[in-house]
Amino acid sequence: MAWVTPHDFTYQESITSTIMDGVKDNLLHLGELRPHVRATDASRTHGSTGTWQNVAWDGVSPNVGSMYTVGQSYLRLTQAGFWLVGAGATAAVNATGSRALMLGSAVDGGGTVYAQQNWPSQSGSAAAGTVVTMIQATANLDVYLSLYQGSGGSLTFTLIHMWAIWMTT
């Protein structure tokens, strides 16, 4: 549903159902009908130190605008325009070495990097990271979340999530 030009009311004008339909359409456009998605992965063991790996999503909700289908490891930005995109994850308590999150245009940290966040080892406590960026997208642009770890062994990431919301053309 597209944005409807707001109505300019005049003094003592009668409010009609057509006018109110336009108000309703605009409220829906600003809220629940605007394309948005949140994908999650409860836990992933990253077994290859010094490399980027993609996430396989366990669940997606909401998925307004059909930006995810089963089997994808990315979110598809379905409309051209500006999108606010973010992600986060927590690295296990026994972690050593660096870890990072990347939003990019290709699998396993390849392609264009839209945003990246690195954080150092915090041995003895779980460490969380987040990344947020605005992407000017063409219609049907795929965005991947890749995880990096340099622990020297395998590392478990938990509470992995990625989200996107269309902002404007």
Side-chain angles (χ1 to χ4, degrees):
M1 177 169 307
W3 178 260
V4 177
T5 302
H7 182 80
D8 288 327
F9 290 93
T10 59
Y11 180 70
Q12 293 188 337
E13 177 181 3
S14 296
I15 297 176
T16 65
S17 63
T18 302
I19 292 171
M20 291 311 297
D21 284 345
V23 172
K24 177 191 73 166
D25 290 347
N26 285 349
L27 290 173
L28 288 172
H29 179 76
L30 291 172
E32 63 192 50
L33 294 183
R34 178 185 300 234
H36 61 283
V37 66
R38 184 174 189 271
T40 58
D41 184 1
S43 179
R44 174 175 175 74
T45 300
H46 188 313
S48 182
T49 187
T51 61
W52 291 96
Q53 290 186 357
N54 276 4
V55 174
W57 302 117
D58 293 338
V60 178
S61 181
N63 187 19
V64 177
S66 300
M67 294 183 283
Y68 171 84
T69 56
V70 175
Q72 292 178 346
S73 60
Y74 55 85
L75 298 180
R76 177 164 286 159
L77 308 183
T78 54
Q79 288 185 208
F82 290 91
W83 290 78
L84 190 60
V85 182
T90 301
V93 72
N94 62 345
T96 60
S98 63
R99 70 250 333 145
L101 300 170
M102 179 193 297
L103 296 172
S105 66
V107 297
D108 299 331
T112 301
V113 175
Y114 300 122
Q116 181 175 329
Q117 196 262 343
N118 302 296
W119 68 101
S121 171
Q122 295 182 353
S123 185
S125 62
T130 58
V131 61
V132 178
T133 191
M134 186 75 76
I135 298 173
Q136 185 176 7
T138 57
N140 299 315
L141 177 73
D142 297 332
V143 179
Y144 295 81
L145 171 62
S146 298
L147 305 174
Y148 176 88
Q149 64 96 359
S151 69
S154 65
L155 175 65
T156 299
F157 286 92
T158 59
L159 306 172
I160 306 161
H161 61 278
M162 180 177 171
W163 53 268
I165 184 168
W166 181 82
M167 303 304 290
T168 187
T169 54

